[in-house]
Amino acid sequence: MYYASDKNVFDALIQHRVDSPTLAALFERRNMIVSKKTPRDDLAEYFSRLPHDYYDHKIISEKLGILPRRERTTSMDLVGTIDPEELKFALEEIKRQIVASGDVAHIVRNGNDFSLRIQYSLIDYKKTEFAQQQIKDGVVEFIKTSEGYLINNAQNDFMNAVRDEIVAKVDAVIPDEIERVTVNLYDVIDPKMRTRFFIELSTSLEGFSRRDVSDVYVYKPKLSADDEGLASDEHETHIEKVLLKGNGITRSSLLLDLVHEDAFYIFKMCWTAQRVLGNGDVISVEVLFADPISCTEFSILIKSVYPYVDGKLGKRRPPLKTEIDSMSRLIEKTAREQMQKLRAECTQGDE
């Protein structure tokens, strides 16, 4: 970020997120005491004319910066013979690159499982001067499986790039080829089958029953000029995405008309799942393909938990780490099974 001008400082200090104690602290650094009755605009105008240093900017930025939100997670299976020591070597190489770029990285090992924990910064110059930098934490997990390794990470460009660099380094040092397996419906072209994937995923989670579907996003790609049934008329109406929000969405005639008659298909769905056994808690989940055209970049977000107490649902709370991990792995496992089932049907149909 370039040096903030007096106007930048004034505009920042009059925002509500910069509270009165923060303003008072900024003046106290200059051995000044301010009255609580002094108007905010007067304090901001006076302070903006003073010399400012790095620590002033840091205090203001911490108040105006973007609050980190819990992100969706995605996973990839590495199928092949992978030596844990070779994976460790690749992780150390990536760690050195991350540290050299000014970010922070640590490697945690538990037996043959590894975690690369990263604290990195993102800059968005479209935002105001004191809100341009966002500090984020990310983890890439490598969990040993019978077939190789399962990789879990947040679904964003930075963490996906880190994961891919690690996989590329591992692939370069081992003699055998590594197969990368992700959940996707790239080969499943039929819109009805893509919709079926989400319906059956939400109803097939082992140990859970689907309680309600609250959000469904459907998509219909526009035909290019090279496709049959040209969509080249500039005046032609085309609706690409539709959001349906409410209760019991999958039973609505509107959704059924879209997916059956108009060739839309689901690419994102939010629903609540209730434990069949145990405490009966209700978990709210969101599942989507980030690329709706090809149905790739599958990701999961465990949104919240409604604890079941004394025969009724309690207030919503954030999910625990153990709940996020167990539910995400169950959804991922079920999604792979549904993907393989649909691909097998496509193969039989081609024959």
Side-chain angles (χ1 to χ4, degrees):
M1 185 182 71
Y2 60 84
Y3 185 80
S5 67
D6 56 348
K7 183 181 185 304
N8 298 145
V9 175
F10 175 80
D11 290 342
L13 293 181
I14 62 175
Q15 297 189 40
H16 293 295
R17 278 193 287 174
V18 181
D19 52 18
S20 298
T22 302
L23 270 174
L26 289 169
F27 278 97
E28 285 176 9
R29 294 190 65 242
R30 288 161 173 75
N31 296 322
M32 297 180 183
I33 299 175
V34 297
S35 170
K36 293 182 180 179
K37 297 182 180 180
T38 305
R40 174 188 291 269
D41 287 5
D42 293 347
L43 292 176
E45 184 179 359
Y46 184 87
F47 187 86
S48 65
R49 295 199 300 263
L50 301 176
H52 314 121
D53 60 15
Y54 165 81
Y55 296 101
D56 293 325
H57 293 174
K58 187 172 185 294
I59 292 171
I60 299 172
S61 296
E62 287 174 350
K63 288 295 180 180
L64 296 181
I66 304 169
L67 297 176
R69 300 176 61 184
R70 194 155 39 84
E71 296 183 277
R72 301 180 183 90
T73 58
T74 187
S75 67
M76 173 188 291
D77 270 328
L78 291 186
V79 179
T81 305
I82 303 172
D83 188 336
E85 295 303 320
E86 292 170 340
L87 176 57
K88 179 185 175 184
F89 174 78
L91 289 168
E92 289 174 344
E93 284 286 311
I94 297 299
K95 175 188 172 181
R96 281 193 285 270
Q97 293 178 16
I98 292 171
V99 172
S101 67
D103 294 321
V104 180
H106 297 285
I107 298 173
V108 179
R109 180 171 184 173
N110 181 15
N112 290 329
D113 297 342
F114 295 87
S115 294
L116 178 62
R117 304 182 182 275
I118 308 168
Q119 186 178 79
Y120 60 99
S121 59
L122 298 176
I123 305 295
D124 186 353
Y125 293 107
K126 295 178 182 178
K127 299 186 179 297
T128 58
E129 285 74 11
F130 287 100
Q132 289 176 358
Q133 186 178 43
Q134 182 182 10
I135 306 298
K136 302 182 71 174
D137 295 316
V139 181
V140 185
E141 295 179 318
F142 290 81
I143 302 169
K144 192 74 174 75
T145 65
S146 59
E147 297 180 331
Y149 271 93
L150 170 65
I151 309 175
N152 294 320
N153 63 274
Q155 174 69 293
N156 62 56
D157 292 340
F158 182 89
M159 296 306 297
N160 284 343
V162 170
R163 176 201 64 194
D164 293 342
E165 286 185 33
I166 297 170
V167 173
K169 286 188 178 295
V170 172
D171 200 7
V173 297
I174 67 172
D176 299 329
E177 185 176 350
I178 297 177
E179 183 183 0
R180 299 164 175 81
V181 181
T182 59
V183 175
N184 68 81
L185 299 180
Y186 183 82
D187 298 328
V188 180
I189 307 299
D190 184 10
K192 292 184 176 60
M193 296 182 76
R194 288 183 168 184
T195 291
R196 236 178 72 203
F197 169 84
F198 282 91
I199 301 299
E200 295 185 1
L201 171 62
S202 63
T203 57
S204 302
L205 297 179
E206 185 178 356
F208 288 86
S209 63
R210 192 181 73 187
R211 184 182 177 92
D212 188 28
V213 178
S214 59
D215 300 74
V216 170
Y217 296 71
V218 294
Y219 183 82
K220 181 180 181 181
K222 188 172 183 178
L223 296 174
S224 68
D226 297 328
D227 294 326
E228 295 180 1
L230 299 181
S232 57
D233 187 350
E234 62 179 0
H235 301 295
E236 181 182 352
T237 300
H238 175 76
I239 298 175
E240 188 174 75
K241 294 180 183 178
V242 178
L243 162 61
L244 302 177
K245 192 176 183 69
N247 299 104
I249 301 298
T250 53
R251 300 190 300 271
S252 70
S253 58
L254 178 57
L255 175 64
L256 296 176
D257 290 342
L258 287 172
V259 298
H260 289 297
E261 296 180 14
D262 294 335
F264 280 85
Y265 56 83
I266 298 175
F267 74 95
K268 178 179 178 180
M269 192 163 86
C270 306
W271 75 90
T272 50
Q274 185 167 18
R275 294 185 188 275
V276 177
L277 302 175
N279 53 20
D281 289 349
V282 174
I283 302 178
S284 175
V285 302
E286 177 184 285
V287 174
L288 82 153
F289 289 108
D291 184 347
I293 299 177
S294 60
C295 282
T296 56
E297 300 179 36
F298 182 77
S299 61
I300 301 165
L301 176 63
I302 309 303
K303 301 176 70 175
S304 55
V305 175
Y306 298 84
Y308 205 74
V309 182
D310 297 331
K312 60 181 181 180
L313 290 179
K315 293 183 178 180
R316 181 179 64 180
R317 63 168 175 80
L320 304 174
K321 177 69 165 60
T322 53
E323 292 170 329
I324 293 174
D325 291 345
S326 61
M327 194 65 177
S328 297
R329 290 175 186 175
L330 175 60
I331 294 174
E332 186 81 26
K333 173 178 174 290
T334 309
R336 291 178 190 277
E337 293 171 353
Q338 296 301 324
M339 175 186 70
Q340 293 168 357
K341 178 182 174 182
L342 293 176
R343 286 182 174 176
E345 290 184 22
C346 289
T347 303
Q348 292 175 358
D350 293 340
E351 293 175 354

